Amino acid sequence: MKNLRTHGKSTIVWVLMGLMVLGLGGFGVTSFSGGSTAIGSVGGTTITTDDYVRALRNQITAFQQQTGQPIDMAQAQAMGLPQAVQSQLIAAAALEEQARRIGVSVGDDRVRQTIAEAPAFQGPTGSFDRAAYADVLRREGLSEAEFEREVRTDEARLLIQRAVAGGVTAPDPAVQATARWILERRDLSWRELTEDMLPAPIAAPDEDTLRAWHSANAERFTAPEIRRITYAWITPEMLAPTVELDEAALRAAYDANIGDYQRPERRLVSRLVFPSAEEAAAARAQIDAGTAPFEAFVLQRGLQPEDAELGEVSQADLGAAGEAVFALPQPGVAGPVQTDLGPALFNVHAILEPLNVPFEQAQADLRAEAAVDRAARIIEDRISDYEDLLAGGATLEQVAEETDLEPGSIYWSADMAPAEGSIAGYQAFRDRAAEITEADFPELTRLDDGGVFALRLDEIVPPTLRPFEEVRDEVEADWRRAEVQRQLLALAEDQRSNPDAPEGQPAPEWTQAADVTRDGWIEGTPDGTVARGFAIPEPGGIEVVDADNRVILLRLVAVNEADLTDADAQRIVDAVRDRIGGSLQSDIFDFYARAVQAEAGITLDQSAVNAINAQVQ
């Protein structure tokens, strides 16, 4: 019944989802006073303005949490969220009306249990916290009596839902048939047809054929929209050569990152502690004799090799064991050594040489890195100056003259490959270049490396069909690819009807693919091949796969029925049963809810709904 809860305006669900803690002000809602306290009714059960506001707000919040993106009311309406909320509220009101008509209700004990078990009302100990209960209701503007009345109504609706659809289960034949379909496996074979298999070489096309191909496939030979853009920009790397750094600053940077330049010898080590020195010595003897490796004793202790790893350590990190471990001239086993944890063996996997880069040697790299960092800070400090010039009406050329921004121009299209070091390599530039219009004024935009830019759209050259003379070679190559594909498909259809080789010729070789699953793949074949294989009705049947400019003959060798008694298969059967059962329950409940709505009658005040929608921002 879990999926049926989505059909109602469940106050309980609002609380359990944790959505009640957000106030109306977060959505720009300040007042809903429009002369109406209801947006509609089903029979004698009204749908209040507060019902609709709360449900709409929660629906928007849930969508934002799922996508991680904020949405406004215009976007919500475009996605149909208000309409979905109205449908849910009408269905809930219909159930409430039906419960009232037939006298369905729940007692105080059930209401008390539902509230006490709601996670939103539980304190740090996991038990019901009255202070949390009162705080949530206060934020929602509900009294305890109002909320408890809503809980009682909601539980009555759930009783009806369970009565209508709770006993519906998936028919076993449908479950079995669906599971067999999902788990069926097939043996397939395939072979690819290539140009060298054609009976004759591809004849060269004449000019009229190529010109006709150029016209018929104009979209392939049309240059994309080109935008002529003027820009001014600066990045930390561009400014870095002008930045002056004193030796004190470089030494400070060296000291701050001393671990990158000065590091003692380190070793990759594993450690295994033994209950006694005798056991450790016996293990060491077996390791030295070559009868058992260090890892064998790790496994005997019920551990995995990674459990014994200490990682990259220095001699100081190992304390008293450091001298013995670092005395090894090459990787191997040291010990037994008495440690704080007991007698232990240490296995050295690798020796990492010490690092000693003096300041004088690191100075060049430090200067380059520090200069870029300093340049980024300088650009950040100057951003307000750049923005003031643009806001004052200065052109990009004038800004470039008065500041350190460098001017440039580019013919840009969305599918162009940017040159190395080009401003078009930045996503921020591409986004801005794609959306700017000729009426827009230049605005400063940040780059992800700390740089900034501003641009101006000077001209838009619309998509244009390139002249035939300019692209003749491309047209011929395109025609030839299509002609090869056409002839291969014709050959494939012929061989599909006559798969055996003519008398006196060797039989064609087929690549076998056994036990293929419906969601699997066949290595070396294009996407969609497996789906075509499962569409072949009977063993021996052959299909032609035309994909990715390749032509493949695909033959069904055998159909392997699923064994539903297998443990893994049984999990699929259970999942199918749940899915079909849930779908049937949902459908039956939908039919019931519509019948109740038709019997009771629905009214909806669209003007009140519109007024609320206009105020939810």
Side-chain angles (χ1 to χ4, degrees):
M1 296 301 297
K2 181 178 179 182
N3 60 332
L4 298 181
R5 297 295 295 268
T6 61
H7 291 277
K9 61 151 196 181
S10 170
T11 303
I12 300 170
V13 172
W14 291 337
V15 176
L16 298 184
M17 292 293 289
L19 299 176
M20 296 180 68
V21 298
L22 296 175
L24 294 176
F27 286 91
V29 180
T30 56
S31 172
F32 290 98
S33 57
S36 173
T37 59
I39 67 164
S41 64
V42 178
T45 300
T46 61
I47 304 170
T48 69
T49 298
D50 287 343
D51 289 337
Y52 181 58
V53 171
R54 187 179 292 115
L56 179 60
R57 181 193 63 197
N58 291 340
Q59 190 85 335
I60 293 174
T61 301
F63 185 86
Q64 291 179 155
Q65 290 175 340
Q66 290 172 2
T67 63
Q69 298 292 329
I71 62 171
D72 56 27
M73 190 57 195
Q75 293 170 311
Q77 288 178 307
M79 290 183 288
L81 295 187
Q83 292 82 356
V85 168
Q86 292 164 33
S87 296
Q88 293 168 4
L89 292 176
I90 290 171
L95 284 182
E96 185 176 340
E97 175 69 7
Q98 187 73 349
R100 184 185 64 79
R101 286 185 176 187
I102 63 179
V104 174
S105 185
V106 296
D108 293 342
D109 289 343
R110 180 58 187 167
V111 173
R112 187 179 302 108
Q113 179 184 356
T114 298
I115 294 174
E117 292 176 354
F121 302 145
Q122 292 176 358
T125 62
S127 59
F128 177 74
D129 187 328
R130 172 157 287 282
Y133 177 55
D135 185 53
V136 171
L137 296 189
R138 177 184 57 76
R139 289 187 223 155
E140 274 303 299
L142 291 170
S143 68
E144 291 189 13
E146 290 172 331
F147 179 70
E148 289 163 11
R149 185 164 55 251
E150 286 285 347
V151 172
R152 192 184 306 277
T153 300
D154 188 58
E155 287 294 328
R157 288 195 297 264
L158 292 177
L159 282 176
I160 294 178
Q161 288 183 0
R162 296 188 187 104
V164 170
V168 176
T169 58
D172 197 58
V175 173
Q176 299 289 323
T178 303
R180 287 193 181 93
W181 182 87
I182 292 173
L183 295 172
E184 175 188 303
R185 294 171 178 265
R186 294 191 167 197
D187 295 340
L188 301 165
S189 61
W190 64 279
R191 60 190 182 89
E192 184 169 1
L193 304 186
T194 55
E195 184 179 350
D196 59 346
M197 298 178 182
L198 293 175
I202 302 297
D206 56 31
E207 291 297 297
D208 289 341
T209 299
L210 292 181
R211 287 184 180 276
W213 189 260
H214 176 256
S215 299
N217 300 278
E219 71 281 356
R220 301 183 195 175
F221 311 109
T222 296
E225 176 185 278
I226 301 294
R227 296 184 153 218
R228 185 165 62 87
I229 291 172
T230 296
Y231 61 89
W233 70 320
I234 188 70
T235 68
E237 286 193 358
M238 293 164 61
L239 189 61
T242 68
V243 173
E244 295 184 2
L245 296 168
D246 57 24
E247 184 172 323
L250 296 179
R251 285 196 174 275
Y254 178 82
D255 294 338
N257 299 278
I258 193 64
D260 295 333
Y261 305 104
Q262 299 289 335
R263 189 162 58 241
E265 177 187 320
R266 304 175 76 81
R267 300 193 169 193
L268 295 176
V269 176
S270 293
R271 176 188 63 194
L272 183 62
V273 180
F274 290 82
S276 66
E278 292 75 17
E279 292 183 55
R284 174 63 189 272
Q286 292 186 55
I287 294 172
D288 290 344
T291 57
F294 177 87
E295 290 75 16
F297 296 99
V298 175
L299 296 174
Q300 288 176 11
R301 302 288 293 278
L303 303 174
Q304 294 298 316
E306 57 267 24
D307 298 328
E309 291 177 0
L310 297 179
E312 184 181 317
V313 296
S314 66
Q315 183 170 342
D317 293 332
L318 296 175
E323 183 176 355
V325 171
F326 276 75
L328 290 174
Q330 60 187 11
V333 176
V337 177
Q338 187 63 37
T339 70
D340 293 341
L341 300 176
L345 294 180
F346 291 82
N347 189 23
V348 178
H349 304 288
I351 297 174
L352 307 178
E353 295 298 329
L355 181 65
N356 181 19
V357 180
F359 170 75
E360 291 72 20
Q361 184 178 340
Q363 192 170 0
D365 290 340
L366 283 169
R367 183 176 298 278
E369 183 176 346
V372 170
D373 290 342
R374 175 60 181 153
R377 292 194 296 271
I378 292 174
I379 291 172
E380 182 69 28
D381 292 341
R382 295 176 181 175
I383 283 178
S384 59
D385 296 335
Y386 306 148
E387 291 177 329
D388 288 345
L389 286 171
L390 291 172
T395 65
L396 293 177
E397 291 81 2
Q398 291 170 334
V399 172
E401 288 180 3
E402 298 183 28
T403 69
D404 43 27
L405 268 67
E406 296 185 8
S409 62
I410 187 174
Y411 285 88
W412 179 85
S413 66
D415 59 352
M416 71 177 293
E420 183 71 24
S422 168
I423 191 173
Y426 290 87
Q427 186 63 48
F429 175 86
R430 295 195 296 272
D431 291 343
R432 183 65 181 144
E435 68 186 12
I436 193 171
T437 69
E438 291 178 289
D440 291 336
F441 291 100
E443 295 179 357
L444 203 68
T445 303
R446 294 175 183 264
L447 296 170
D448 55 15
D449 63 356
V452 294
F453 73 94
L455 59 81
R456 180 183 69 234
L457 179 60
D458 297 323
E459 180 187 9
I460 296 178
V461 180
T464 306
L465 178 62
R466 292 181 290 171
F468 172 77
E469 291 73 16
E470 180 183 318
V471 294
R472 186 195 181 286
D473 291 344
E474 294 179 37
V475 172
E476 182 173 2
D478 189 70
W479 176 89
R480 192 179 190 285
R481 281 192 298 269
E483 181 63 15
V484 168
Q485 191 76 356
R486 185 188 68 79
Q487 293 193 26
L488 285 177
L489 288 171
L491 178 62
E493 288 296 338
D494 180 62
Q495 294 191 4
R496 177 187 180 188
S497 303
N498 304 281
D500 298 325
E503 187 174 350
Q505 294 187 15
E509 294 186 5
W510 294 76
T511 301
Q512 305 301 313
D515 218 24
V516 179
T517 60
R518 192 176 293 275
D519 61 348
W521 72 94
I522 301 174
E523 185 175 357
T525 66
D527 292 342
T529 300
V530 169
R532 295 294 298 274
F534 274 82
I536 301 174
E538 296 179 354
I542 297 176
E543 284 289 329
V544 177
V545 178
D546 176 12
D548 299 341
N549 288 319
R550 299 171 65 188
V551 176
I552 290 174
L553 286 176
L554 182 67
R555 179 167 58 191
L556 175 58
V557 178
V559 176
N560 306 319
E561 299 291 342
D563 177 12
L564 299 187
T565 62
D566 178 77
D568 290 336
Q570 194 57 50
R571 285 192 288 270
I572 299 296
V573 171
D574 293 341
V576 169
R577 180 175 289 108
D578 291 343
R579 183 66 178 267
I580 294 177
S583 179
L584 290 173
Q585 290 174 355
S586 181
D587 289 343
I588 289 174
F589 175 75
D590 279 340
F591 285 126
Y592 176 79
R594 290 179 190 144
V596 171
Q597 294 169 28
E599 180 182 359
I602 301 172
T603 61
L604 188 65
D605 186 346
Q606 192 60 50
S607 62
V609 172
N610 294 341
I612 294 173
N613 291 345
Q615 294 184 63
V616 178
Q617 301 299 325

